[in-house]
Amino acid sequence: MWKRVVQDGRWALWLVCACYLVVVYITSRGLIGAPRYRLFQARVHDCRARAAVLAATISPESTESTGSVDSTDSAAKSAVAKSAVLKAVNERLDGFGVGGQVVWRLLPQRAVIAIPLSKLAAAWRALHHAETQLLRLEHPEEITLRILALRLRLASDPDPVNNSLGTELAAHAGDAPAERALLIAATEDLHRQEDDDFEREYEHQRIALWLALTGIAAVLLLGLALDHRLSMLLGGLGGFLSPLIGVMRSQRPTSWGVLVLAPVGGALAAPGGLLLVRMLADPELNLLGQVFLHNSWGAPAQPISLAVALLFGFSGTLFSRLALAATGQLVPTAGRTARPGPPGRP
């Protein structure tokens, strides 16, 4: 069986595409969202702890007062309102653990099999709203500590808008209602910025994943229609090596979209690049020489053709330059074709 797979390039291409499709699925449903989901779980636990502390401080026993009946009734009504808010927050936090709300699980409380990015982004917005609701119930001492921490954070922020928020918080020091209102407003604004940034990043990842899936389908179709299966495999190898070597040389991580899309783009660029090489090596143009004329599109199994396919998969700049060179050869020809001839003699 394996001998047949190796000898038949079609089956080898299908096998590679199927394996890479599994890799794309695992990446899109787990690896991209996993770090953000772990942070989300930690924040949910923090919210539960804060809600438990607040529930203990506003219990009916803690609201008993020796003052007048009116003050006692007012404190009781305030405690009831705060208890209702805490109940709503706890119900929202409990909803995050239900299967399908944020992640897909095999079991109710374990075995996560997928972390959809859209669900995770919506869950973060809901969690930020719950955190804001808890801020409205915090005691003045806790509000003061959070304001100090937020001012330190905003002071080191390079964004001038955030710096102005820190200055405004400092200007209302000592005014408890104003401090609480500014803290809530600043926190909501920072949460909005955070959510917008991550949703923008998730959107880029989704676009890259969609292009990767569409590219895999195009690779399969081209593998059926053209006899360039080996060159596409080498182009995909070059596309995989490009970000790998880039990370090794710069020691900096690259985006998930580039990692997923590069092999697919390399596999598609390989046959297209060989066709461009054949065009530019044609005797009518003679820009690349006779060597590439016989080692390009018409002979994809030749060693030079395979090496060129690997280079096209590795370097997107190479494909772009050859495409521009080919375009430069077509534009003057079109101009000469459209140029009117000399007027005829009577």
Side-chain angles (χ1 to χ4, degrees), residues 44 47 75 79 83 93 105 131 133 141 147 158 172 195 198 289 296 340:
V44 169
C47 282
S83 299
L93 295 177
R105 301 176 184 269
E131 290 178 340
Q133 294 299 320
E141 297 82 2
I147 287 176
H172 291 80
D195 292 334
F198 277 104
S296 56

Side-chain angles (χ1 to χ4, degrees), residues 327-343:
T327 304
Q329 297 298 318
L330 293 176
V331 172
T333 303
R336 287 194 299 267
T337 303
R339 186 181 303 168

Side-chain angles (χ1 to χ4, degrees), residues 51 55 81-94 137:
K82 292 180 179 180
S83 299
V85 173
L86 285 177
K87 181 180 178 182
V89 170
N90 284 321
E91 289 177 353
R92 191 67 186 92
L93 295 177
D94 293 337
L137 307 179

Side-chain angles (χ1 to χ4, degrees), residues 7-344:
Q7 291 179 350
D8 192 351
R10 180 181 304 176
W11 285 102
L13 182 64
W14 285 12
L15 181 61
V16 171
C17 289
C19 294
Y20 195 73
L21 187 62
V22 174
V23 172
V24 170
Y25 178 82
I26 295 175
T27 302
S28 63
R29 294 302 186 182
L31 295 180
I32 295 178
R36 186 75 173 156
Y37 178 66
R38 294 190 186 99
L39 180 60
F40 174 81
Q41 286 182 309
R43 293 277 285 272
V44 169
H45 290 316
D46 291 342
C47 282
R48 291 184 187 277
R50 290 171 57 190
V53 172
L54 289 173
T57 58
I58 63 174
S59 60
E61 291 79 5
S62 64
T63 58
E64 292 181 356
S65 175
T66 58
S68 62
V69 177
D70 293 338
S71 62
T72 303
D73 292 341
S74 177
K77 291 179 180 179
S78 177
V80 170
K82 292 180 179 180
S83 299
V85 173
L86 285 177
K87 181 180 178 182
V89 170
N90 284 321
E91 289 177 353
R92 191 67 186 92
L93 295 177
D94 293 337
F96 293 143
V98 178
Q101 292 294 324
V102 182
V103 297
W104 297 345
R105 301 176 184 269
L106 288 176
L107 300 176
Q109 298 297 329
R110 61 183 63 185
V112 176
I113 59 175
I115 307 175
L117 299 181
S118 57
K119 290 180 177 291
L120 184 59
W124 267 106
R125 286 194 178 272
L127 177 61
H128 285 157
H129 179 71
E131 290 178 340
T132 303
Q133 294 299 320
L134 292 178
L135 276 180
R136 302 178 188 275
L137 307 179
E138 294 285 3
H139 293 283
E141 297 82 2
E142 182 68 21
I143 292 295
T144 302
L145 292 175
R146 290 186 176 274
I147 287 176
L148 291 176
L150 184 59
R151 286 173 57 186
L152 292 175
R153 173 186 171 185
L154 295 177
S156 60
D157 197 310
D159 191 348
V161 177
N162 292 338
N163 285 330
S164 65
L165 287 176
T167 304
E168 191 170 357
L169 284 172
H172 291 80
D175 187 356
E179 283 185 332
R180 184 184 294 269
L182 285 174
L183 175 62
I184 294 174
T187 303
E188 288 181 344
D189 185 67
L190 293 176
H191 285 168
R192 180 188 56 79
Q193 294 179 23
E194 180 183 351
D195 292 334
D196 291 344
D197 291 341
F198 277 104
E199 286 182 1
R200 194 177 302 111
E201 180 183 352
Y202 291 158
E203 184 65 23
H204 293 163
Q205 306 295 352
R206 282 194 292 266
I207 292 174
L209 293 171
W210 182 86
L211 290 174
L213 294 175
T214 307
I216 291 175
V219 168
L220 290 174
L221 292 177
L222 289 176
L224 290 174
L226 303 176
D227 191 20
H228 285 263
R229 289 178 285 272
L230 187 56
S231 61
M232 284 192 289
L233 289 175
L234 286 176
L237 176 61
F240 174 77
L241 291 176
S242 179
L244 176 63
I245 295 177
V247 171
M248 292 174 60
R249 293 180 60 184
S250 62
Q251 300 298 322
R252 290 181 299 178
T254 186
S255 67
W256 282 107
V258 173
L259 292 176
V260 171
L261 194 57
V264 180
L268 293 175
L274 290 177
L275 185 59
L276 287 177
V277 169
R278 174 61 182 83
M279 170 188 171
L280 296 176
D282 191 85
E284 297 293 333
L285 299 177
N286 196 24
L287 295 179
L288 296 180
Q290 295 295 319
V291 175
F292 293 102
L293 178 63
H294 303 291
N295 293 276
S296 56
W297 179 261
Q302 295 297 323
I304 295 180
S305 299
L306 297 178
V308 171
L310 180 66
L311 290 177
F312 275 116
F314 181 83
S315 174
T317 306
L318 176 62
F319 184 88
S320 300
R321 289 181 177 178
L322 283 184
L324 291 176
T327 304
Q329 297 298 318
L330 293 176
V331 172
T333 303
R336 287 194 299 267
T337 303
R339 186 181 303 168

